[in-house]
Amino acid sequence: MDHIPKNHPRAESLRIRQRLVDGYDDGLVAREGLIAHGRGEAFDYILGERTTRLAQRSIKAAAAALLLARNPVISVNGNLAALCARQTVRLAAASHSSLEVNLFYDSPARRRKIASKLESAGAKRVLGHRRADQTELPGLGSQRRIVDKRGIAMADAVLVALEDGDRTQALAKDGRRVIAIDLNPLSRTARTADITIVDNAVRAMVRLAAQCIELAGKKESGLRRITDSYDNAATLGSHIEEIAKYLERAARNA
Amino acid sequence: MDHIPKNHPRAESLRIRQRLVDGYDDGLVAREGLIAHGRGEAFDYILGERTTRLAQRSIKAAAAALLLARNPVISVNGNLAALCARQTVRLAAASHSSLEVNLFYDSPARRRKIASKLESAGAKRVLGHRRADQTELPGLGSQRRIVDKRGIAMADAVLVALEDGDRTQALAKDGRRVIAIDLNPLSRTARTADITIVDNAVRAMVRLAAQCIELAGKKESGLRRITDSYDNAATLGSHIEEIAKYLERAARNA
């Protein structure tokens, strides 16, 4: 394979892409996960590849929701592990969340590899990779319904990143508070979640952990005020409007 | 691997994705090509997954340009071969173009596989996969400058689909008329090409072949009127505005 030309104007994007490709070679990422990453790249591009003020508002609500939860769980798939295992482990610590491996294209070998990757990044305990601990989430077909008894099965809040719409809906219908990180503000996951952070997971994980640390000393009533005043549908609408404005500026400058 | 659930709302998109994944398993598609496909999926999504009237206008200009060219060449990479080999071969016949394999992530084995795929789809002659026929395009680093002596090296018009911006620029600077198929109207490829078809390659190839057949009997002066009256920058600007409007409607309905 060719190396990334240093003077290529999209070298940074190509380097992040390389992390995914490395993750694929290490058996963490599914082939379909490479394609899904590309979708994210495109939406990040039209967001201006930055954490917007709107996203920061969602991050604050998400941090409050994680701190309010009794059993928060971070659902980890191959892409998330390949892109930001360390940041994900740090967020789990900062928000007292469990980490559970959960895959769209299931494979026991890949589950184990993702768990190892999280452990190498400092995780003390990773759920979702032992067959004995598996149970089922209602309302989902095929392998995708499998969750961990000690994790998502008993979670009151679940953070999903780069997640499929079906599973997000199943979690929401089953009464969990769902926090999603999704670059596409039009996706079913974005619309179904209670709090959607429209941002690149790599950037969002770091900021979300920082926000959890900042809010850690706050009283429950204060945290509740943050989540109660957050309107996900309105925030998503504003995100879409911002993208439209960004594109209109780009069209004028084209 | 899991099968695609039949009732999944994005089953069609997942099926096309599956073709890419199959192309990857067959050695046609690079891992990076899977990611690039995902970028295309996202832009197709915000275009409404249809060939717009604007795209149809570019397709007409592209057909005229191909028919006007003395040595038109269609540059074929792994994604294009995996997604629409047959349609690409049909376009080559309808436009009297040569087919040349040209890769961003070069590999002689992959070149040969792509050539075989095109031959199985009915191509009589495929360039770009014999070392003896290789020469270099000026202004490009690394392996990406290699082109076929009998193909792109002597082409006056080159059709690139799903192409990198660097190579598009090198072709344009070297005086070739460049026709690009690119779902991202903001990309360097889109902005650098003489005629950019902002559409999914799978759809565009079919329509472009049909347009070539329709225009085949037209006089050179008539074809020239079509290309002369086409304004690529204005068309791209209108595309971006259409996407912005589509998003604004989506925001209102969110």
Side-chain angles (χ1 to χ4, degrees), chain B residues 29-202:
Chain B
V29 172
R31 293 162 304 187
E32 293 80 0
L34 294 175
I35 300 178
H37 177 73
R39 300 234 307 232
E41 277 184 8
F43 281 105
D44 203 12
Y45 183 90
I46 57 176
L47 273 175
E49 288 169 340
R50 72 210 154 88
T51 302
T52 62
R53 274 187 308 146
L54 285 167
Q56 191 57 48
R57 202 186 293 171
S58 308
I59 286 170
K60 190 171 179 184
L66 286 174
L67 294 173
L68 281 168
R70 306 223 170 274
N71 293 306
V73 174
I74 301 172
S75 175
V76 182
N77 62 19
N79 283 31
L80 195 65
L83 284 174
C84 51
R86 198 170 297 274
Q87 295 88 326
T88 303
V89 171
R90 282 194 195 131
L91 173 63
S95 62
H96 310 288
S97 300
S98 301
L99 291 162
E100 176 170 336
V101 181
N102 222 280
L103 307 180
F104 185 84
Y105 292 99
D106 196 29
S107 131
R110 210 150 66 76
R111 281 181 183 263
R112 277 191 302 275
K113 279 185 182 159
I114 293 168
S116 303
K117 174 85 177 180
L118 292 171
E119 281 158 5
S120 315
K124 301 239 158 42
R125 195 174 76 134
V126 181
L127 308 175
H129 63 104
R130 288 197 339 200
R131 188 171 292 269
D133 301 321
Q134 288 177 351
T135 182
E136 294 176 5
L137 200 68
L140 269 179
S142 76
Q143 294 297 310
R144 298 182 299 138
R145 66 174 172 256
I146 295 168
V147 293
D148 196 298
K149 280 177 196 167
R150 304 159 303 162
I152 290 174
M154 54 177 280
D156 51 348
V158 182
L159 172 72
V160 295
L162 327 167
E163 183 57 276
D164 170 64
D166 269 5
R167 201 144 53 186
T168 307
Q169 280 185 328
L171 286 168
K173 268 191 195 155
D174 202 43
R176 320 325 170 87
R177 179 176 256 173
V178 180
I179 301 156
I181 302 178
D182 192 326
L183 275 158
N184 176 2
L186 296 159
S187 77
R188 260 190 321 142
T189 289
R191 288 165 188 244
T192 305
D194 297 285
I195 300 167
T196 304
I197 301 168
V198 179
D199 197 10
N200 190 317
V202 179

Side-chain angles (χ1 to χ4, degrees), chain A residues 1-5 7-10 13-14 17-18 20-21 24-25 31-43 45-46 104-106 142-144 164-166 184 186-188 191 233 236-238 240-241 243-248 250-254, chain B residues 1-5 7-10 13-14 17-18 20-21 24-25 31-43 45-46 104-106 142-144 164-166 184 186-188 191 233 236-238 240-241 243-248 250-254:
Chain A
M1 189 204 313
D2 226 327
H3 283 288
I4 297 161
N7 58 351
H8 194 288
R10 300 209 50 78
S13 175
L14 291 173
R17 178 180 294 195
Q18 189 58 46
L20 249 283
V21 170
Y24 173 75
D25 289 342
R31 293 162 306 186
E32 293 80 0
L34 295 175
I35 300 180
H37 177 73
R39 300 232 311 230
E41 277 185 9
F43 281 104
Y45 183 89
I46 57 176
F104 186 83
Y105 292 99
D106 196 30
S142 77
Q143 294 298 309
R144 298 182 300 138
D164 170 64
D166 268 6
N184 176 2
L186 295 158
S187 78
R188 261 191 318 143
R191 288 166 188 245
L236 287 176
S238 304
I240 298 166
E241 273 165 23
I243 293 173
K245 274 186 205 134
Y246 173 83
L247 289 172
E248 272 164 1
R252 277 196 300 275
N253 299 333
Chain B
M1 191 203 314
D2 226 326
H3 285 287
I4 296 161
N7 58 352
H8 194 287
R10 298 208 55 78
S13 175
L14 292 173
R17 180 181 292 195
Q18 189 58 47
L20 249 282
V21 170
Y24 173 75
D25 288 341
R31 293 162 304 187
E32 293 80 0
L34 294 175
I35 300 178
H37 177 73
R39 300 234 307 232
E41 277 184 8
F43 281 105
Y45 183 90
I46 57 176
F104 185 84
Y105 292 99
D106 196 29
S142 76
Q143 294 297 310
R144 298 182 299 138
D164 170 64
D166 269 5
N184 176 2
L186 296 159
S187 77
R188 260 190 321 142
R191 288 165 188 244
L236 288 176
S238 302
I240 298 166
E241 273 165 24
I243 293 173
K245 275 186 204 134
Y246 172 84
L247 290 172
E248 273 165 2
R252 277 197 300 275
N253 299 332

Side-chain angles (χ1 to χ4, degrees), chain A residues 78-236:
Chain A
N79 283 32
L80 196 66
L83 284 174
C84 50
R86 197 169 297 274
Q87 295 88 328
T88 303
V89 171
R90 281 193 196 131
L91 173 63
S95 62
H96 311 287
S97 300
S98 302
L99 291 162
E100 175 170 337
V101 181
N102 222 279
L103 306 181
F104 186 83
Y105 292 99
D106 196 30
S107 132
R110 210 150 65 76
R111 280 181 185 263
R112 275 192 302 274
K113 279 186 180 156
I114 293 168
S116 303
K117 172 85 175 178
L118 293 170
E119 281 158 4
S120 315
K124 301 241 157 43
R125 194 174 78 135
V126 181
L127 308 175
H129 64 105
R130 287 197 341 199
R131 189 172 293 267
D133 300 321
Q134 288 176 350
T135 182
E136 295 177 5
L137 200 67
L140 269 177
S142 77
Q143 294 298 309
R144 298 182 300 138
R145 66 173 172 256
I146 295 168
V147 293
D148 196 297
K149 280 177 198 168
R150 305 158 302 163
I152 290 175
M154 53 178 279
D156 51 348
V158 182
L159 171 73
V160 296
L162 326 168
E163 183 56 277
D164 170 64
D166 268 6
R167 201 144 54 187
T168 307
Q169 280 186 328
L171 286 168
K173 269 190 194 155
D174 203 44
R176 320 321 171 88
R177 180 177 255 174
V178 180
I179 300 156
I181 302 179
D182 192 327
L183 275 158
N184 176 2
L186 295 158
S187 78
R188 261 191 318 143
T189 290
R191 288 166 188 245
T192 305
D194 297 285
I195 299 167
T196 305
I197 301 167
V198 179
D199 197 10
N200 190 317
V202 179
R203 296 192 299 264
M205 282 292 176
V206 175
R207 285 171 179 263
L208 190 46
Q211 189 67 256
C212 286
I213 291 163
E214 200 181 314
L215 295 179
K218 227 178 165 70
K219 280 189 209 146
E220 209 176 294
S221 58
L223 296 173
R224 247 176 245 293
R225 267 196 299 278
I226 294 170
T227 56
D228 289 352
S229 65
Y230 176 80
D231 183 338
N232 203 47
T235 307
L236 287 176

